[in-house]
Amino acid sequence: MIGDRTVMQEALFYSFRIEDHVPEDHLLRVIDRFVDLDGIREYLKPFYSSTGRPSIDPELMIRMLIIGYCMGIRSERRLCEEVHLNLAYRWFCRLDLDGSVPDHSTFSKNRHGPFRDCDLLRKLFEMTVERCMAEGLVGAEGFAVDASLIRADVHRQRSVPGAEGLPPDAAGRAVTEYLEVLDDAAFGGATPVTPKRLNITDPAARWTAASRERAFYSYSTNYLIDLDHAVIVDVEATTSIRQAEVLAQRRMIERTLERFGLWPEKLVADAAYGSAPNLGWLVEDQGIEPHIPVFDKSARKDDTFERSDFTFVHDDDSYICPGGNRLRPSNRNFKTPRPRANADGFIRYRASQKDCQSCHLKQRCTPNMTARKIMRSIHEGARDMARDIATTDAYLVSRRQRKKVEMLFAHLKRILKLDRLRLRGPNGAKDEFHLAAAAQNIRKLAKMKPSPELATA
């Protein structure tokens, strides 16, 4: 027997609680235990006027942004629609059925106003790190670092050759921010090399062909994570080149010590961070074990002797070649002392021309030059330490642990949908990366520390 037609009848009064309609295992109910924004209003108070109309509650906007980045809602216009319709979203934002949702334009006004003036989104991210530390998820015995390319919100064809520079009519907030960071070592000052292409819409975005796809404009998000539970302890936005990413690693390690008092015993990274100056900074200046492949181009393809075939004698500061002759930094004395190392931090060890000419191994050593020379970095001790660590079992464990940061990038792009930026300019990239990292930490807390009711179930 078919049932009667259902007809909606408006009632004069309803007995309704949003609390009763949000499931216990809903993601937002789980993460709500770790979202403590009581100090946000006091933190923002100096950046708001004491007169005029009351502003939209900043805690409401932050909760809405957390929903957007945790649930992969990239558009703020759509976010406002979803919060208006979804009961769980209203519950998380502390809105009743009659509570009005702010207009999407409110986010832009606050982002370019008080939020950016006080670096609120950075503060929000650091609050998630502090909560992870309080819950015992950060061990600080080892950190891992890496960077990932995120597409910029620009059109490929709106660009000019880098040698031409920006056209005179280029204008906009992203252009202004680009001009402000021309000397910043994480952006314009990262390298003196002129970029191949310069985008007119967002000039700070870097034209890159580092991936298997065709070249595109991008920014780099840099993660420093704790190896215990893959908690993101710091995040930095940079231009998409190796020099800027290495600098971001140094900034994040120093900032983590200053802000949270965390100092790792070891750092795990790929070969992009294995340059001699960076290994020297880690070992000699910071006392951190580098579980990093050494960036080394001393290998030869013509079957002649490589640098590894020469033995370095520390006491005599010289190399001994396979033929038994010595290579020294200088084979004669100069009236005016010359610097041992060149501008790149390398010392040139030369063999005597007489020794090489009479050596029976000359054709296998230096067939095209009168005497053999070896380049040694002033940080070679740190490089040797990294090579020694690479032969241990602990290094094999570190290589497997490094995949944790790669998994975070995969989660960032596939689950949180941040494979392309929505905001433009260096500040826009920083805002998005801070919010995304905060969302990942909050989701990590919800996963590692479930509520007692769910744990019992």
Side-chain angles (χ1 to χ4, degrees):
M1 177 178 176
I2 190 170
D4 296 335
R5 182 184 299 276
T6 301
V7 179
M8 185 180 71
Q9 296 181 351
E10 294 288 345
L12 185 60
F13 300 102
Y14 285 95
S15 176
F16 185 88
R17 291 175 69 244
I18 297 180
E19 176 79 23
D20 299 334
H21 295 269
V22 181
E24 291 293 334
D25 59 348
H26 194 283
L27 176 63
L28 293 182
R29 185 182 284 276
V30 179
I31 71 174
D32 184 63
R33 298 182 299 122
F34 306 106
V35 179
D36 184 6
L37 303 177
D38 292 340
I40 290 295
R41 296 180 63 87
E42 195 65 27
Y43 183 76
L44 281 170
K45 191 173 182 180
F47 298 90
Y48 280 87
S49 175
S50 58
T51 59
R53 295 174 57 189
S55 69
I56 301 294
D57 183 7
E59 181 177 344
L60 169 61
M61 289 188 286
I62 292 298
R63 285 185 173 273
M64 290 181 64
L65 288 174
I66 291 175
I67 292 175
Y69 279 82
C70 283
M71 310 303 290
I73 303 175
R74 302 288 297 123
S75 168
E76 287 170 355
R77 187 187 296 268
R78 179 171 166 246
L79 175 63
C80 294
E81 296 174 356
E82 293 291 335
V83 172
H84 177 71
L85 296 172
N86 194 301
L87 290 178
Y89 294 176
R90 279 185 170 272
W91 174 86
F92 184 80
C93 292
R94 308 296 191 260
L95 288 174
D96 56 24
L97 291 179
D98 295 331
S100 59
V101 178
D103 188 76
H104 65 90
S105 62
T106 307
F107 292 95
S108 297
K109 293 178 181 178
N110 282 272
R111 182 186 302 113
H112 300 300
F115 285 9
R116 192 161 290 170
D117 293 339
C118 68
D119 206 5
L120 177 65
L121 302 183
R122 175 76 197 180
K123 174 70 174 178
L124 176 66
F125 165 73
E126 291 180 348
M127 289 170 63
T128 66
V129 179
E130 291 172 345
R131 186 59 186 267
C132 289
M133 294 172 61
E135 296 291 338
L137 299 184
V138 180
E141 294 181 0
F143 286 172
V145 66
D146 205 355
S148 184
L149 302 177
I150 306 295
R151 290 177 178 271
D153 184 31
V154 296
H155 197 285
R156 289 168 53 92
Q157 296 182 355
R158 282 190 54 81
S159 61
V160 294
E164 295 182 4
L166 286 175
D169 58 343
R173 183 178 287 109
V175 175
T176 303
E177 293 180 7
Y178 164 73
L179 297 177
E180 292 175 352
V181 299
L182 280 177
D183 297 328
D184 190 337
F187 288 96
T191 173
V193 178
T194 303
K196 185 176 181 180
R197 304 289 299 177
L198 201 61
N199 193 272
I200 301 175
T201 306
D202 188 356
R206 193 79 177 190
W207 178 256
T208 178
S211 67
R212 296 180 180 179
E213 308 172 39
R214 67 173 184 170
F216 57 91
Y217 289 97
S218 71
Y219 286 89
S220 284
T221 177
N222 299 264
Y223 276 6
L224 183 68
I225 72 166
D226 181 78
L227 290 176
D228 279 5
H229 295 95
V231 172
I232 305 170
V233 295
D234 208 342
V235 59
E236 180 92 357
T238 64
T239 187
S240 298
I241 60 173
R242 183 172 60 87
Q243 297 92 321
E245 293 166 1
V246 172
L247 174 68
Q249 163 234 275
R250 299 187 183 187
R251 286 181 176 179
M252 290 189 293
I253 290 176
E254 292 175 342
R255 188 164 52 213
T256 303
L257 173 65
E258 178 184 355
R259 183 66 184 84
F260 308 112
L262 299 177
W263 196 251
E265 296 178 4
K266 66 178 181 180
L267 181 70
V268 183
D270 57 24
Y273 301 86
S275 63
N278 190 52
L279 292 176
W281 182 83
L282 288 171
V283 176
E284 299 163 7
D285 298 342
Q286 310 301 323
I288 300 174
E289 290 185 5
H291 289 233
I292 305 173
V294 178
F295 187 76
D296 192 354
K297 292 187 176 182
S298 63
R300 295 195 169 195
K301 299 180 180 180
D302 56 358
D303 295 330
T304 57
F305 293 130
E306 299 180 357
R307 184 171 59 191
S308 57
D309 297 318
F310 293 72
T311 304
F312 183 71
V313 182
H314 288 272
D315 297 337
D316 191 48
D317 190 23
S318 64
Y319 277 95
I320 298 180
C321 72
N325 298 314
R326 290 189 180 270
L327 289 75
R328 303 182 184 278
S330 178
N331 290 318
R332 58 176 176 170
N333 296 324
F334 295 93
K335 293 182 178 180
T336 303
R338 297 187 177 185
R340 285 172 51 84
N342 60 16
D344 295 327
F346 282 89
I347 304 172
R348 182 181 288 106
Y349 289 77
R350 297 184 180 88
S352 169
Q353 183 174 345
K354 178 181 177 182
D355 292 340
C356 286
Q357 292 299 330
S358 60
C359 182
H360 65 286
L361 297 176
K362 184 177 186 306
Q363 291 303 314
R364 288 197 57 195
C365 184
T366 175
N368 301 322
M369 299 181 65
T370 57
R372 180 62 188 263
K373 64 180 180 181
I374 295 290
M375 303 297 291
R376 178 181 176 86
S377 171
I378 58 176
H379 305 293
E380 198 66 30
R383 285 157 59 93
D384 290 339
M385 180 179 180
R387 294 187 184 102
D388 292 340
I389 292 175
T391 61
T392 63
D393 294 337
Y395 180 81
L396 298 178
V397 175
S398 297
R399 302 315 296 167
R400 291 193 295 269
Q401 290 177 324
R402 196 185 69 83
K403 295 179 181 179
K404 293 182 179 181
V405 67
E406 299 287 355
M407 294 170 65
L408 282 172
F409 289 141
H411 180 268
L412 176 71
K413 296 178 181 180
R414 300 188 63 180
I415 306 301
L416 302 189
K417 312 298 184 184
L418 190 59
D419 55 344
R420 182 188 179 99
L421 290 172
R422 187 179 55 81
L423 305 179
R424 294 172 178 168
N427 289 329
K430 292 176 184 177
D431 291 347
E432 292 219 58
F433 294 160
H434 282 140
L435 278 169
Q440 287 183 294
N441 279 348
I442 294 173
R443 289 175 65 113
K444 177 71 67 175
L445 281 165
K447 178 181 179 181
M448 302 303 299
K449 298 290 182 178
S451 60
E453 295 81 5
L454 294 178
T456 304

